[in-house]
Amino acid sequence: MSLLFDAVLCLLLLLGALGVVATGAARPAVIAFIGYGLLLGLAWVRLDAVDVALTEIAIGSGISGVVLLHCVRALPAPPRAPAAHPMLRPLAAAIAVAIAAALALAVLALPEPAPTRAADVAAALPATDLGNPVTGVLLVFRALDTLLEKVVLFLSLVGVWALSRDPACRGRPAPLSPEPAPAPSAFLARVLAPIGVLVGLYLLWAGADHPGGAFQSGAVLAAMGLLLVMGDQIRVPAAGNRSLRLLMLAGPFGFLAVGFAGWATAGVFLGYPPGAEKAVIIAVEVAITLSIAVTLALIVLGPPADEGRS
Amino acid sequence: MTGALLFGLAGAALVGCGVYGLLTASGALGRILGFNVLGGGVFLIFGAVARRGAAAGFSADPVPQALVITGIVVAFCATALAVALLVRLSTMEARAAPADAGEKET
């Protein structure tokens, strides 16, 4: 029965992906992509990876979807493309099928029994006082990956801001919609935002022992901030705002500071002080959650406008 | 175990779809979408590997899961930057286009 469900889900995923790549128009392709992300989230739940499912739905489908839809509206209607060579599509299809077939063969030839690090994680997890193994891997065993991921996120915002025409990036990003928010959006923002903020904070708190964590929580908080902006409940913040910039930097640089302190307290970069691991891990999680929320929302809002126009 | 195998094969097929999208897309936005579909397929293969690695009381190996979470975030960063570049490029082209039209008329 569950295998039948999985097979139907895989089929829908495939149809969703074909809908994304085979649709000529931009807006239907982006909407198909959002649906594809949600189906992918369901697939992650079926693979018992609830942390990944939350991340995929929040970032891969939700926030990416907003960014892409915003882009579709900002782009002019594409000029009619010159007719592609008649052999292009069959040739591309042949290459795609060949790559998919090679990967499928590799999947079928995966070694048995499957190599795994689960036993190592299970052995080392009690020392961290965390109950969620994925949070343990993200924040302790592979903390360097997570630190660099925060830096990549920060650099992505720097890249977006570098496209502003104001070199100092002090203005406010243009509002997502030039018209005032319709009454239902304002109502939705007022009703949903408090609940959403609560859910975001719960995901952060529960992430230590249950599915959830800094990234999922930050994405939900960013979404609530964007909802308030779209509902005209708060104004888009100016990019030059000092506390905004401090919040943006708190995560990556706080994490880096803890990493350097690790040499003094635990004798190794990114080590946590023995005895106080959980307190320090939670402090790092809070800092990176705030930075993620602010950075994601600012990435969606786009480059700050010129000083003159803001 | 067969569930993991099924999703692994689906991941391979999704990579194929993504490659097709990358090769045939007429605009940059289509290529960005194709790249993301391709990435989703690669992550799903990772998910199948994680599910196969269930051991020590965990229903899936947590290490590949954590890598995929990092991967999703990095893919989002690349997408957001590409989209911002694309929007900027189109505004610059829109500003340049009226000037070109004026030159042709004279």
Side-chain angles (χ1 to χ4, degrees):
Chain A
M1 187 60 207
S2 65
L3 199 63
L4 183 69
F5 180 81
D6 289 351
V8 171
L9 182 58
C10 287
L11 203 65
L12 284 174
L13 258 177
L14 215 58
L15 288 176
L18 281 174
V20 176
V21 299
T23 315
R27 189 180 294 262
V30 168
I31 291 169
F33 178 73
I34 296 172
Y36 164 80
L38 292 176
L39 288 171
L40 209 53
L42 208 52
W44 284 110
V45 176
R46 293 295 302 156
L47 286 166
D48 276 317
V50 182
D51 295 88
V52 185
L54 286 169
T55 313
E56 171 62 41
I57 289 176
I59 312 271
S61 175
I63 304 229
S64 290
V66 178
V67 168
L68 290 165
L69 278 178
H70 193 41
C71 168
V72 169
R73 211 185 50 180
L75 289 184
R80 54 185 178 79
H85 193 275
M87 281 307 287
L88 173 72
R89 279 175 188 276
L91 198 63
I95 293 172
V97 168
I99 289 176
L103 272 174
L105 284 179
V107 169
L108 288 172
L110 283 175
E112 197 70 47
T116 176
R117 302 298 302 271
D120 300 331
V121 173
L125 199 61
T128 65
D129 220 5
L130 293 169
N132 179 355
V134 179
T135 303
V137 174
L138 278 173
L139 282 164
V140 187
F141 311 133
R142 301 288 310 170
L144 187 62
D145 290 356
T146 309
L147 172 62
L148 291 178
E149 170 204 280
K150 299 296 162 287
V151 174
V152 168
L153 186 69
F154 175 66
L155 286 179
S156 169
L157 180 64
V158 170
V160 170
W161 276 11
L163 299 171
S164 165
R165 290 153 59 78
D166 170 23
C169 294
R170 284 169 307 221
R172 294 171 193 276
L176 288 170
S177 165
E179 300 95 33
S185 295
F187 178 71
L188 184 70
R190 276 201 217 112
V191 172
L192 197 57
I195 301 170
V197 169
L198 197 64
V199 170
L201 293 177
Y202 172 77
L203 279 175
L204 171 64
W205 185 248
D209 295 312
H210 302 286
F215 227 99
Q216 295 88 336
S217 165
V220 171
L221 293 177
M224 290 308 125
L226 291 170
L227 190 68
L228 287 173
V229 168
M230 287 179 203
D232 279 347
Q233 299 299 309
I234 54 173
R235 233 187 131 189
V236 179
N241 188 324
R242 195 166 291 273
S243 52
L244 195 70
R245 293 198 174 190
L246 277 178
L247 271 180
M248 238 166 68
L249 294 171
F253 285 87
F255 204 171
L256 202 59
V258 168
F260 281 119
W263 263 315
T265 55
V268 60
F269 182 60
L270 282 172
Y272 294 111
E277 288 98 344
K278 189 156 185 185
V280 176
I281 289 172
I282 288 178
V284 167
E285 275 211 290
V286 170
I288 59 182
T289 302
L290 292 174
S291 289
I292 289 165
V294 171
T295 312
L296 283 176
L298 288 173
I299 287 178
V300 173
L301 289 170
D306 308 355
E307 280 288 80
R309 274 196 281 159
S310 64
Chain B
M1 271 303 132
T2 40
L5 187 68
L6 192 64
F7 282 113
L9 293 176
L14 292 181
V15 170
C17 286
V19 170
Y20 178 77
L22 270 177
L23 290 176
T24 59
S26 57
L29 187 63
R31 290 207 180 83
I32 295 173
L33 287 174
F35 158 82
N36 272 294
V37 170
L38 198 165
V42 173
F43 294 149
L44 204 56
I45 294 178
F46 248 79
V49 170
R51 184 76 182 85
R52 281 166 43 89
F58 298 142
S59 53
D61 186 354
V63 177
Q65 290 186 45
L67 293 181
V68 168
I69 290 180
T70 308
I72 290 173
V73 175
V74 173
F76 165 76
C77 293
T79 305
L81 188 55
V83 163
L85 283 168
L86 183 59
V87 171
R88 185 85 176 91
L89 188 67
S90 81
T91 24
M92 281 170 69
E93 277 174 354
R95 278 199 193 123
D100 286 353
E103 276 168 28
K104 274 174 197 161
E105 277 167 22
T106 50

